[in-house]
């Protein structure tokens, strides 16, 4: 599974062969946090058979980043994104690889507005760089962020985007999906790092 890109006319997605790519997504927000790799494989394979091409997932599951995974592990040591918990991320690694094998694009949410007390302008770039470096070899990832559509979130989004670009050399698409759901163009229309709305 290769990366998806924006078409030359900026109107649709294309795959690694420059053929149009149809984004049919399922929201499996808790796939990394609340499923084992074996359970995730069944879900991914089923959705692939059903014609889905994309899974939208939150890296730390739903919430503020403090809920534990199935093994009782938090994503960050001391609830600090600057200190990712290796034990939490090992099953994530396996699920990312399963999705690549099956041929599913993963839209991974690295930030949600509920993280605002933990992911800040002080640590966002470091955390995002670490994530992007860790998954640098996974071409089937698109990075996403889920702020409120308000200007106060723009500084942390910029730091996250900078870290993602630094970590994977700008190989992956980066987008924003405000939550609640007005469009990203309603508040960050001209950000140079934003690949698509």
């Amino acid at each position: 599974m290769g990366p998806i890109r924006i078409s030359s006319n900026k109107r649709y997605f294309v795959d690694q062969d420059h053929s149009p790519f149809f984004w049919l997504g399922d929201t499996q927000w808790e796939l990394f946090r609340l499923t084992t790799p074996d359970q995730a494989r069944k879900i991914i394979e089923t959705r692939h058979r059903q014609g889905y091409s994309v899974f939208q997932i939150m890296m730390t599951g739903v919430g503020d980043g403090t809920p534990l995974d199935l093994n009782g592990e938090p994503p960050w040591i001391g609830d600090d994104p600057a200190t990712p918990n290796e034990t939490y991320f090992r099953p994530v690694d396996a699920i990312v690889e399963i999705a690549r094998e099956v041929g599913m694009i993963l839209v991974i949410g690295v930030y949600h507005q509920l993280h605002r007390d933990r992911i800040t302008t002080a640590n966002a770039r470091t955390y995002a760089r670490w994530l992007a470096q860790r998954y640098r070899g996974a071409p089937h990832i698109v990075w996403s962020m889920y702020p409120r559509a308000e200007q106060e979130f723009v500084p942390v989004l910029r730091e996250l985007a900078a870290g993602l670009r630094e970590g994977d050399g700008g190989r992956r698409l980066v987008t924003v999906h405000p939550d609640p759901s007005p469009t990203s163009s309603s508040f960050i229309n001209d950000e140079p790092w934003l690949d698509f709305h």
Side-chain angles (χ1 to χ4, degrees), residues 75-88:
W76 311 314
I77 296 169
D79 293 333
D80 180 0
T83 55
N85 179 0
E86 179 68 25
T87 308
Y88 176 92

Side-chain angles (χ1 to χ4, degrees), residues 28-152:
Q28 293 285 335
W29 301 125
E30 298 278 11
L31 193 72
F32 292 150
R33 193 174 74 83
L34 294 181
T35 62
T36 67
D38 286 344
Q39 291 167 334
R41 179 180 291 279
K42 290 176 185 174
I43 294 167
I44 292 167
E45 289 177 346
T46 298
R47 287 294 186 262
H48 188 260
R49 283 194 307 272
Q50 292 170 335
Y52 287 85
S53 56
V54 172
F55 268 179
Q56 296 167 179
I57 307 168
M58 292 300 299
M59 181 60 80
T60 63
V62 175
D64 64 359
T66 62
L68 307 179
D69 71 6
L70 289 176
N71 300 310
E73 296 290 339
W76 311 314
I77 296 169
D79 293 333
D80 180 0
T83 55
N85 179 0
E86 179 68 25
T87 308
Y88 176 92
F89 283 93
R90 279 193 212 110
V92 174
D93 298 346
I95 294 170
V96 168
E97 176 58 20
I98 289 165
R100 186 197 63 76
E101 292 169 5
V102 173
M104 188 75 72
I105 296 292
L106 300 181
V107 180
I108 299 179
V110 300
Y111 176 82
H112 189 276
Q113 50 113 339
L114 295 174
H115 292 140
R116 75 182 88 180
D117 292 334
R118 288 177 177 77
I119 299 178
T120 66
T121 54
N123 62 23
R125 186 180 296 214
T126 300
Y127 174 57
R129 184 188 309 116
W130 182 88
L131 284 174
Q133 285 174 340
R134 187 178 188 95
Y135 298 107
R136 188 181 181 100
H140 59 299
I141 288 176
V142 172
W143 300 115
S144 187
M145 298 172 268
Y146 299 82
R148 287 185 176 274
E150 299 169 0
Q151 285 299 313
E152 70 178 273

